[in-house]
Structure formats: structure tokens, C-alpha cells
Amino acid sequence: MASPLAGLPEELAGHQAGPGAPGPVLPDGPGYPRIVQAWLWLKKPTWYLDRCARAYGDVFSMRLPFGVNLVHIASPELVKAVFGGDSDVLRAGEANATILEPLVGPHSVLVLDGPEHLRQRKLILPAFHGDRMRAWEATVRDITRAEIARWPAGKPFALRPSMQAITLDVIVRVVFGVEVAERRDELRRHIRTVTGLGRNPLLLFATRDRRLGPHAPWARFIRARDALDAALTAEIRRRRAVPGLGQRGDVLSQLLLARDDEGRAMTDDEVRDELVTLLFAGHETTATSLAWAFDLLLHHPRALGRLVAELDRGGSEYLDATITETLRVRPVVALVDRHVRQAVRIGGHTIPAGAMACPNIYLAQRRADLYPDPAAFRPDRFTGQPPPAFGWFPFGGGIRRCLGASFATFEMRIIIPEVLRAVTLRPASPRPARIRREAVTFVPHDGARCVMTARRQRGVES
Ligand code: HEM
């Protein structure tokens, strides 16, 4: 069968528009006033995306306040064009910086472009090598068991905060490598304050004017961020003085040892910005994906039964398929964006400079031509079957693909079986959770509520 990507005119795709190309113009999209579109995008994101895709097809524009124009792209061949396009023209760092730089800092791999971005990526990536991660397995298991032991029996509780506690502890222990309990508690406290304030969508769009006073959300956010920065900088300085860093398995120690092509180490500021990046890119995304996995499994008893039976036999094929299907039907990050610096030709469109080209994860992963009954949760789509290229990209793509993709999958492959072996859960309500936006992520509206009905023989009693 011919690849769905065959025939794409590579020389025109994702590169600067040439002299013969049609003039730059935003693709069609809804004509509502910008403020109305912003409200729909914030409050009813999936409804609005589905509606736009039905009305305008694979490529459409969403016009938001302050001149922000999102060009959503949902066809695999055009997503490929964007991911493979000229990264000088399609700038991810610039796009991310608008919202994220105050949080992650100017040296973060997320907000850089060009050679500086590649340098940071090369410095970070080896710390997540498969062999290193395997050494973290026992720690992830212990953290999960300790959290499960706190769950109430017979009473509804939300799984998402519990998953957040697990993935946060994983970051503090295996990424930051902090062993002293008081320092772990201090870091967790700072992180929770920053995360709590960052959930306030006002921070995304409201003015960042400090003159609004010390109690305005922005001023409180800056104070909390500075306190976290100070705690991390102290940790970095302490770690530099520890002998035998090479023997330690944590990411922070590896970042301190890493050298670029010119033999230069990272500065304290660079290391701190990357730690904050790994923390905020990695902790809630993974926790929310886990919460979605449980919400879906608990509402699909046949899939759950099949998974538990497979785990009891020691298999993992259906587990991998379940993770792949969860990330498909409930992507936590709905889209990635690239700031268009010069008019760029993508498919039949010439996208004007200044717009955001946005490969849309949610829409592409719900295409009926790739996934029959696309809204249904059916892990067996992926048993013995890899996901289609550019029709499944929950971790983004190209030179910006998520640096923590293998780490996130590694965590999910440990935590899901650990929970299912330890306890029996039932959903707290008969219907699966609705998708709700929280800042830039899609989360279960009720936090994935469930009831623990029994502790199983093996597992958490120890
Ligand atoms: C299920 C969990 C996760 C999801 C769904 C996710 C998703 C994403 C997405 C969509 C991007 C943007 C890619 C692009 O622009 O093309 C990204 C970037 C990134 N993610 Fe993740 N992520 C997850 C977990 C993690 C973890 C655990 C870490 C690290 C501890 C991490 C670190 C990063 C970093 C550093 C980037 C920036 C890469 C760059 O700009 O070069 N992520 N992630």
C-alpha cells in the first residue's frame, strides 16, 4: 500500500515560500470576533476544535486576541512538512518563549532555537539513556507503593493528584537526585506553590505588569519562582562539591559532568533552567497521562481485565498498546506550535510571517481515516501494530521531539502495573471523565475519581 506521505513536494513543504508561491494569507477559519474565539478555545477546546475541523478540514486558522493567529494542521503529510521544515523559519523556541520563558528561564532548551537549542539538547539527552533509566526502576516502584499505601479504602478519591505526587517524587529523586528528606520536602513545597499559581490561566493572558501590586497573581508567581530558583541553585552548588559524580545515576549529576563539542560545561544558570524545564515539562504531563490511562481502563472493564490477565502472566504487549492508545485518544498536550518567521509554504497554503503553525495532536490522532471509531478507547488497535507515522505524535516531532518521551513511557510502564497488581479499583462515576483544559494541558475534569475496593495479596502490605 502506498504511504500516505508519498508525493509530498518536499522542496516546497515547510520551507520559505519561493517567488512562484501564492501570496501569504491565513487559511480559512471561523469569523467570530477574536475575544469569542479565545473564550471558546479556553473553555470548550475540544468542542471548538472538532467543530472547526468539520467546517474547514485539515488546515484552518483560529484568530485570538493580541494578533495571535494559530494555524491548526491535522493531516499527517502536512504535519510531516512542519516537523521536517526549516527550523530557522519555523521557530519552536520563540513560540514556547511567549508563555514559558518566565517560568523556565532564558537558557531552557524549550525556549531556544538554532545552534543554542541543539547544544542544550545534546547536553541533556545522554542523561536519559535507557541503561541509566533502568537503574531508577526500583526507586519508581518504591515511590508508587508508598503512595498506594495512602489510598483510602471504600471512599472516592481523585487519582490525578496521587499520580502528581508520584511523578513529582520521581523528579526530585531521580532527576534532581536529592537524598536528604528535609531538602526534598523543601523543594516539593516550592514546586507545588509555583505549579498552583501557574494553573491560573490569568497568568497566560493577563498583563504581566508588576504595578498591579504585590498580591496580583503575577507578582506572587514571580516570588514563588525566585524561591524555587534559589533552592535549586543551592542544590547545584552543593552537588558540584560532591566527589565521584560519575558514580551517581541522577540527571543533575550527569548535567554537571556533560561537555559540549567545544568541551565547555554548563553554567549554574543553564543547569538550573534545564532542571526547571525537566520538572515542568515532565511532571504534570506524565501524571495526567497516567490519570487518563486509569480513567479509561476503569471505564472499559474488558480492556482492564485483559491487561490484568496479561500482567499476571508476565506479559507487556497489551500494556504498551494501552499506553499508546491512551496517549492517542487523550493527548495531554493538544498541539505544538512553531512561530513562522518568514512566509512559509505548507501544502497548498502560504502561511504569513507572524502566525503560529500548529501540528494539532488532538485532531490528527482522531482522524477517522487512520483510526476507525476514532473517539473509542481500543488498545488492540496497537497490538502488534505500530502507530502511523505523523498520525500519532503525542510527544511532538522533528528536532523538538520531547526529550523525556522514553522516560515518560518508562514511568508509565512501571506505575500502571504496580497499581493494578496492588489494588482493585472501580470508577467513582459511570461515565469517563470529560476533557477539561488546565493552562496548556488537557486533563480529566474530575481528576479521574475512583474507589479502591480491595488490596490484592501481592504488593503494598510490606
Ligand atoms: C506523557 C508525558 C509527556 C508528554 C505527553 C510530553 C509532550 C511533549 C511535547 C508535545 C513537547 C513539544 C515537542 C515539539 O515541540 O515538537 C515536549 C517537549 C519537551 N518535553 Fe515532554 N512530554 C512528556 C513528558 C516529559 C518528561 C518526563 C520530560 C523530562 C523529564 C519531558 C521533557 C521535555 C523537554 C525538555 C521538551 C523540549 C524539547 C525541545 O524543545 O527540544 N517531557 N514534550
Side-chain angles (χ1 to χ4, degrees):
M1 198 176 76
S3 150
L5 307 178
L8 179 71
E10 291 280 1
E11 71 282 7
L12 280 182
H15 291 79
Q16 196 180 340
V25 56
L26 283 174
D28 263 3
Y32 307 129
R34 286 178 181 269
I35 190 76
V36 174
Q37 299 206 42
W39 188 87
L40 290 168
W41 180 222
L42 284 175
K43 293 290 175 195
K44 295 183 169 293
T46 52
W47 177 86
Y48 195 37
L49 283 178
D50 289 336
R51 200 183 145 99
C52 290
R54 268 200 306 277
Y56 300 99
D58 286 340
V59 181
F60 58 87
S61 301
M62 205 181 258
R63 294 166 175 83
L64 302 178
F66 309 114
V68 174
N69 296 314
L70 306 184
V71 178
H72 295 268
I73 298 165
S75 81
E77 58 272 34
L78 299 188
V79 168
K80 181 187 182 195
V82 174
F83 285 154
D86 183 342
S87 60
D88 280 339
V89 175
L90 295 160
R91 312 274 277 188
E94 270 175 28
N96 293 336
T98 332
I99 290 177
L100 295 176
E101 185 170 329
L103 174 63
V104 296
H107 309 288
S108 161
V109 66
L110 266 168
V111 304
L112 294 171
D113 284 299
E116 291 85 10
H117 165 253
L118 282 182
R119 172 178 181 266
Q120 292 301 116
R121 254 186 101 91
K122 277 161 95 179
L123 286 165
I124 301 170
L125 207 53
F128 288 100
H129 191 271
D131 292 339
R132 284 195 188 290
M133 287 197 301
R134 270 189 286 284
W136 303 335
E137 193 172 324
T139 311
V140 177
R141 242 177 245 297
D142 289 349
I143 292 170
T144 309
R145 288 179 187 176
E147 181 61 25
I148 296 171
R150 287 190 269 274
W151 289 354
K155 279 200 296 208
F157 71 101
L159 274 168
R160 184 166 167 248
S162 200
M163 294 299 129
Q164 285 165 331
I166 294 174
T167 58
L168 177 55
D169 222 14
V170 170
I171 298 258
V172 172
R173 285 169 68 177
V174 308
V175 175
F176 299 172
V178 181
E179 279 137 16
V180 181
E182 298 86 69
R183 291 218 302 275
R184 285 213 289 256
D185 291 345
E186 187 202 344
L187 276 171
R188 276 195 291 256
R189 230 183 16 258
H190 289 308
I191 293 164
R192 289 210 173 100
T193 314
V194 177
T195 315
L197 291 164
R199 276 198 196 113
N200 180 351
L202 272 179
L203 279 174
L204 296 179
F205 290 103
T207 167
R208 295 173 175 186
D209 189 342
R210 281 170 190 251
R211 286 169 301 182
L212 288 174
H215 302 297
W218 185 248
R220 287 194 291 148
F221 167 75
I222 295 293
R223 273 201 304 279
R225 181 208 61 187
D226 289 349
L228 173 61
D229 276 359
L232 284 175
T233 303
E235 200 57 50
I236 293 166
R237 297 211 170 120
R238 263 194 297 268
R239 190 68 52 80
R240 279 202 196 278
V242 169
L245 278 190
Q247 265 70 63
R248 294 177 57 103
D250 60 87
V251 173
L252 167 54
S253 301
Q254 299 315 310
L255 293 184
L256 295 178
L257 291 171
R259 297 291 178 268
D260 66 14
D261 294 344
E262 268 94 60
R264 283 174 307 164
M266 292 164 91
T267 64
D268 282 3
D269 286 351
E270 285 175 330
V271 175
R272 189 206 50 224
D273 287 0
E274 298 310 1
L275 289 183
V276 178
T277 302
L278 297 174
L279 165 67
F280 288 104
H283 141 234
E284 298 233 0
T285 42
T286 312
T288 304
S289 299
L290 280 159
W292 277 126
F294 287 114
D295 189 70
L296 290 164
L297 282 167
L298 298 184
H299 287 92
H300 293 82
R302 281 186 36 205
L304 177 63
R306 187 166 161 192
L307 177 56
V308 170
E310 180 194 79
L311 294 173
D312 286 346
R313 284 196 312 274
S316 64
E317 189 190 33
Y318 199 69
L319 172 64
D320 289 339
T322 300
I323 294 171
T324 308
E325 176 68 343
T326 300
L327 295 170
R328 179 192 76 80
V329 76
R330 296 287 189 275
V332 171
V333 181
L335 55 80
V336 296
D337 40 16
R338 307 287 186 256
H339 184 228
V340 177
R341 286 200 110 194
Q342 288 154 307
V344 66
R345 186 122 174 92
I346 294 173
H349 305 270
T350 303
I351 316 275
M356 296 282 191
C358 304
N360 193 301
I361 300 171
Y362 169 85
L363 287 176
Q365 296 185 167
R366 281 184 180 227
R367 292 178 66 93
D369 56 347
L370 296 179
Y371 305 103
D373 198 3
F377 173 69
R378 285 208 214 132
D380 44 306
R381 294 179 205 277
F382 296 116
T383 45
Q385 181 89 357
F390 304 101
W392 185 89
F393 51 99
F395 297 108
I399 57 162
R400 307 302 297 221
R401 184 170 187 269
C402 174
L403 268 171
S406 334
F407 181 41
T409 318
F410 162 84
E411 285 187 82
M412 293 179 81
R413 293 181 97 242
I414 297 171
I415 296 167
I416 294 173
E418 209 48 55
V419 168
L420 296 181
R421 282 195 200 107
V423 295
T424 306
L425 300 171
R426 72 166 166 77
S429 72
R431 293 170 66 85
R434 289 191 311 278
I435 298 175
R436 181 173 70 80
R437 174 199 280 280
E438 188 174 278
V440 292
T441 55
F442 281 4
V443 307
H445 81 282
D446 63 353
R449 282 169 72 74
C450 69
V451 178
M452 186 181 73
T453 51
R455 291 194 186 272
R456 295 177 97 201
Q457 284 302 309
R458 276 180 304 141
V460 294
E461 290 91 345
S462 57

